[in-house]
Amino acid sequence: MDSRIIIAVDAMGGDNAPSEIVKGAILSLDNTNIHIILVGKDDLIHEALKDYKYDTSRVSVINATEVISSGESPSVAIKTKKDSSLVVALKLVKEKRAHAFVSAGNTGAILTGATIIIERLKGIERPVVAVPLINENGFTLILDAGANVDCRPSFLLQFAKIGSVYVKNMFGVAEPKIGLLNIGTEPLKGNSLSKDVFKLLSESSLNFIGNIEARDISTGTVDVLVCDGFVGNIVVKQYEGLSESIFKMLTNELMSSTVTHMDKLDDLKKKFDYSEIGGAPFLGLKSLVIKAHGNSDFVAIKNAILQCVNFIEKDITVKIEENLM
Amino acid sequence: MDSRIIIAVDAMGGDNAPSEIVKGAILSLDNTNIHIILVGKDDLIHEALKDYKYDTSRVSVINATEVISSGESPSVAIKTKKDSSLVVALKLVKEKRAHAFVSAGNTGAILTGATIIIERLKGIERPVVAVPLINENGFTLILDAGANVDCRPSFLLQFAKIGSVYVKNMFGVAEPKIGLLNIGTEPLKGNSLSKDVFKLLSESSLNFIGNIEARDISTGTVDVLVCDGFVGNIVVKQYEGLSESIFKMLTNELMSSTVTHMDKLDDLKKKFDYSEIGGAPFLGLKSLVIKAHGNSDFVAIKNAILQCVNFIEKDITVKIEENLM
């Protein structure tokens, strides 16, 4: 590969594919180091590309005749749809023809496909989805945000290690504080999973702060918060839904406000929209996979792509691998 | 028992005991049907009572020399501290000398004590904590909010039955909509627990709407939402913490606002403070037990007590029992 960062984009994944995906991909070219490979039905992609002026030497299109939709069984879809945009794009990454993959498609299928095709890092039993949640001081990275609904204790220890490396290297936090999401702060609190994980984290060399209650997610007590994917998915979605509801209610309450107040409200609201960040990385794989929201618009796709650059420039995968004891 | 509603109050439970507990109890006497039994160290209780003018015929004090603190192991504390305010008060309920019990003390100890002393209803494997969460249209009752961290599928079916009866009878919702908190809306989504519970709920005679994602808790899709106590506790605490953080951030943003705006913000903020409601009922027991927040002030205690009246007048325990198939 040359010095450019080559990103394979699933042009067919998500509710707004391919138009918004393509638009976002084109906008990401503002970063002059990026080369984009759009993967999917080439006639549709070329049709969408017609709307834009761009450096054609920096955008490739690779045809894939099949599409995996959101309702499909991940394992069946990956096995049977060999010419889907998802499978074709993942193979590009596997074969080192692309550095990273961005998709707004079926989460389960991305995860299954990535695990089979890109493969996990040595020492990682399960890849994990990480989502940064804004807090009063910055953000907390929560993992697993939904990839693994039934977890063994060792998975969460690995999530903690992955998260620690990620936050340290992506955001320059010297010694990331790790917390275990639990229903009380005492060591013996929680369900059988959290008790076992507490022990593992305590014995690890990580900067483990202890159990964190959900009310402290937004106060910013820790940099990295681990939990199983069932709980994490609920936290992330509640976060999204509750903040949206509060802002909706507030907007109604403050209808009579001046324009200035409404602007301030909008600004704050935007901060709470975690899709603004672009997407959620699947971590623990041998290459980067970013899951964008199913309903991503072009801004989200653009941001997901830009996120890859940051990730790759900081060599996060290698750093995670090095830090797996 | 006479026609009055007699409520045993744990004067020693919670961070602000006994002063705030006593103050709240006295204020609850505004409801002329209530008789209060304050249970705890009688010298401290009498000392606290000195500050108030009240109808002494409506307040009794029963001495209990021991206190179960928040850090203690529930089962050990219940077994060894026979003269604790918690155990003594629960026995009053068991012996029908009180209709209900209110405590802001150690949740686990209340639950263990209540299960042993008051006992579960027939057909109920585990008592459950129910918390109403405000949503855009009213509220959603979530159970289990933290009593049972490891659940079997049958527990959640029972929680749904209990919740349905509770909402129907306490709030007059004709046919409460029941949801299963899950990470997707499709029937086969989730972890092994949620898949099994989905099946049980589908086969039941309940008005089961299906899986509910956490982002829809605050939109008010269902009246009753079931989950295990680990997940439920996280939802409730995140709800509390996140809304608090948003309001804190908003207040900072809108510092320059007029008094009117700040008042409106305060009003909305108050709606989100679920401790305003008073406490969370433990359901599935043969008598009512209300768990108030550990940091309850007198308003919360007062409200918890008033809540008992409503519960008892509506004969909720019997109705739950009748509806267990």
Side-chain angles (χ1 to χ4, degrees):
Chain A
M1 287 196 278
D2 51 33
S3 69
R4 293 171 308 168
I5 291 175
I6 303 170
I7 298 167
V9 176
D10 179 1
M12 312 311 288
D15 307 340
N16 309 313
S19 63
E20 294 288 316
I21 313 295
V22 168
K23 187 173 179 183
I26 294 301
L27 284 176
S28 74
L29 297 174
D30 286 350
N31 181 318
T32 53
N33 210 22
I34 289 178
H35 182 97
I36 295 288
I37 306 177
L38 291 165
V39 183
K41 297 187 174 179
D42 59 359
D43 49 341
L44 295 178
I45 296 171
H46 284 298
E47 184 62 34
L49 280 170
K50 271 188 194 157
D51 294 342
Y52 308 99
K53 280 188 121 173
Y54 60 95
D55 179 351
T56 51
S57 73
R58 295 176 55 211
V59 178
S60 325
V61 176
I62 290 188
N63 191 35
T65 57
E66 293 173 299
V67 175
I68 295 175
S69 63
S70 65
E72 290 183 66
S73 153
S75 50
V76 173
I78 294 299
K79 250 180 247 165
T80 58
K81 293 191 166 173
K82 297 291 182 202
D83 199 37
S84 60
S85 54
L86 180 55
V87 171
V88 171
L90 284 169
K91 281 186 180 157
L92 292 176
V93 178
K94 166 72 178 172
E95 295 159 3
K96 306 281 182 206
R97 293 167 62 196
H99 296 91
F101 173 55
V102 169
S103 176
N106 181 324
T107 306
I110 300 171
L111 189 73
T112 305
T115 306
I116 294 171
I117 298 167
I118 300 186
E119 298 176 21
R120 287 159 292 155
L121 292 168
K122 199 162 168 279
I124 293 295
E125 291 170 280
R126 296 291 167 89
V128 57
V129 177
V131 166
L133 296 176
I134 189 179
N135 63 41
E136 293 174 28
N137 310 313
F139 73 90
T140 302
L141 189 77
I142 185 166
L143 26 69
D144 179 4
N148 308 286
V149 292
D150 292 302
C151 286
R152 284 201 294 267
S154 57
F155 297 2
L156 272 77
L157 175 62
Q158 291 158 24
F159 300 165
K161 288 177 182 177
I162 290 173
S164 182
V165 178
Y166 188 80
V167 166
K168 187 173 183 176
N169 289 282
M170 286 290 276
F171 309 107
V173 177
E175 212 183 341
K177 292 195 284 284
I178 313 290
L180 171 63
L181 184 57
N182 206 335
I183 62 171
T185 52
E186 304 88 340
L188 290 175
K189 279 278 181 176
N191 54 17
S192 49
L193 176 68
S194 52
K195 285 175 197 168
D196 290 346
V197 175
F198 188 93
K199 197 162 172 292
L200 288 179
L201 287 170
S202 300
E203 293 164 357
S204 78
S205 60
L206 293 161
N207 183 19
F208 178 53
I209 300 302
N211 288 325
I212 299 295
E213 290 189 287
R215 68 164 67 92
D216 281 323
I217 300 173
S218 57
T219 56
T221 315
V222 292
D223 301 299
V224 175
L225 191 61
V226 295
C227 57
D228 71 52
F230 189 86
V231 169
N233 189 273
I234 282 169
V235 165
V236 169
K237 285 180 181 160
Q238 187 190 358
Y239 193 94
E240 179 187 13
L242 179 58
S243 56
E244 205 170 287
S245 291
I246 291 178
F247 287 115
K248 197 191 282 181
M249 292 160 86
L250 263 172
T251 307
N252 292 339
E253 292 290 328
L254 301 178
M255 277 288 252
S256 57
S257 287
T258 62
V259 174
T260 317
H261 290 127
M262 296 311 276
D263 282 352
K264 282 182 181 165
L265 203 60
D266 279 348
D267 289 347
L268 192 61
K269 195 173 164 182
K270 217 167 180 179
K271 282 174 74 178
F272 270 87
D273 179 6
Y274 74 94
S275 71
E276 280 281 317
I277 293 153
F282 283 1
L283 302 175
L285 294 161
K286 290 184 177 170
S287 290
L288 174 61
V289 172
I290 296 272
K291 171 64 177 83
H293 249 231
N295 63 355
S296 289
D297 63 4
F298 69 91
V299 179
I301 296 296
K302 177 191 160 188
N303 291 339
I305 293 171
L306 294 176
Q307 203 178 355
C308 293
V309 176
N310 202 2
F311 187 102
I312 290 161
E313 286 178 347
K314 287 172 177 158
D315 219 7
I316 302 298
T317 300
V318 170
K319 282 177 181 141
I320 289 174
E321 198 162 26
E322 286 170 357
N323 280 274
L324 294 169
M325 286 144 282
Chain B
M1 287 194 279
D2 52 33
S3 70
R4 293 171 309 168
I5 291 175
I6 303 170
I7 298 166
V9 176
D10 178 0
M12 312 311 289
D15 307 340
N16 308 312
S19 62
E20 293 287 317
I21 313 293
V22 168
K23 187 172 180 183
I26 295 299
L27 284 176
S28 74
L29 296 173
D30 286 350
N31 181 319
T32 54
N33 210 23
I34 289 178
H35 183 97
I36 294 288
I37 306 177
L38 291 165
V39 184
K41 296 187 174 177
D42 59 359
D43 50 342
L44 295 178
I45 296 171
H46 284 298
E47 184 63 34
L49 281 169
K50 271 188 191 156
D51 294 342
Y52 307 100
K53 281 189 119 171
Y54 60 95
D55 179 350
T56 51
S57 74
R58 295 175 55 213
V59 178
S60 324
V61 175
I62 290 188
N63 190 35
T65 57
E66 292 172 300
V67 175
I68 295 174
S69 63
S70 65
E72 289 184 67
S73 152
S75 50
V76 174
I78 294 299
K79 251 181 246 166
T80 57
K81 293 191 167 173
K82 296 291 181 203
D83 200 36
S84 60
S85 55
L86 180 55
V87 171
V88 171
L90 284 169
K91 281 186 180 157
L92 292 176
V93 178
K94 166 71 179 174
E95 293 159 5
K96 306 281 182 208
R97 292 167 63 196
H99 296 90
F101 173 55
V102 169
S103 175
N106 181 325
T107 306
I110 301 171
L111 189 75
T112 305
T115 307
I116 295 171
I117 298 166
I118 300 185
E119 299 176 22
R120 285 159 292 154
L121 292 168
K122 198 161 169 279
I124 293 293
E125 290 170 280
R126 295 292 167 88
V128 57
V129 177
V131 166
L133 296 177
I134 189 180
N135 62 41
E136 292 174 29
N137 310 312
F139 73 90
T140 302
L141 189 77
I142 184 166
L143 25 65
D144 180 4
N148 309 284
V149 292
D150 291 303
C151 286
R152 284 201 293 267
S154 57
F155 297 1
L156 272 77
L157 175 62
Q158 292 157 24
F159 300 164
K161 289 178 181 175
I162 290 173
S164 182
V165 177
Y166 188 81
V167 167
K168 187 173 182 173
N169 289 281
M170 286 290 276
F171 309 106
V173 177
E175 211 181 343
K177 292 195 283 285
I178 313 290
L180 171 62
L181 184 57
N182 207 335
I183 61 170
T185 52
E186 304 87 340
L188 289 176
K189 277 281 181 177
N191 56 16
S192 49
L193 176 67
S194 53
K195 285 175 197 169
D196 290 347
V197 175
F198 188 93
K199 196 163 173 289
L200 288 179
L201 287 170
S202 300
E203 293 164 357
S204 78
S205 59
L206 292 162
N207 183 18
F208 177 53
I209 300 303
N211 288 326
I212 300 294
E213 290 190 285
R215 68 164 66 91
D216 281 323
I217 300 173
S218 57
T219 56
T221 316
V222 293
D223 302 299
V224 175
L225 191 59
V226 296
C227 56
D228 70 53
F230 188 86
V231 169
N233 189 273
I234 282 169
V235 165
V236 168
K237 285 181 181 160
Q238 187 189 0
Y239 194 94
E240 179 188 12
L242 180 58
S243 56
E244 205 169 286
S245 290
I246 291 179
F247 287 115
K248 195 191 283 181
M249 291 160 86
L250 262 173
T251 307
N252 292 339
E253 291 290 327
L254 301 178
M255 276 289 254
S256 57
S257 288
T258 62
V259 174
T260 318
H261 290 129
M262 296 311 276
D263 283 352
K264 282 181 181 166
L265 203 59
D266 279 348
D267 289 349
L268 191 61
K269 197 172 161 180
K270 217 167 180 178
K271 282 173 74 178
F272 270 85
D273 179 7
Y274 76 94
S275 70
E276 280 281 314
I277 293 154
F282 282 1
L283 303 175
L285 294 162
K286 290 182 177 170
S287 290
L288 174 61
V289 172
I290 296 271
K291 171 64 178 80
H293 248 231
N295 63 355
S296 290
D297 63 3
F298 69 92
V299 178
I301 296 296
K302 177 190 161 189
N303 291 339
I305 292 170
L306 294 176
Q307 201 178 358
C308 294
V309 175
N310 202 1
F311 187 103
I312 290 160
E313 285 177 347
K314 287 173 178 159
D315 220 6
I316 302 297
T317 300
V318 171
K319 283 179 182 138
I320 290 173
E321 198 162 25
E322 286 170 356
N323 280 273
L324 295 170
M325 286 146 280

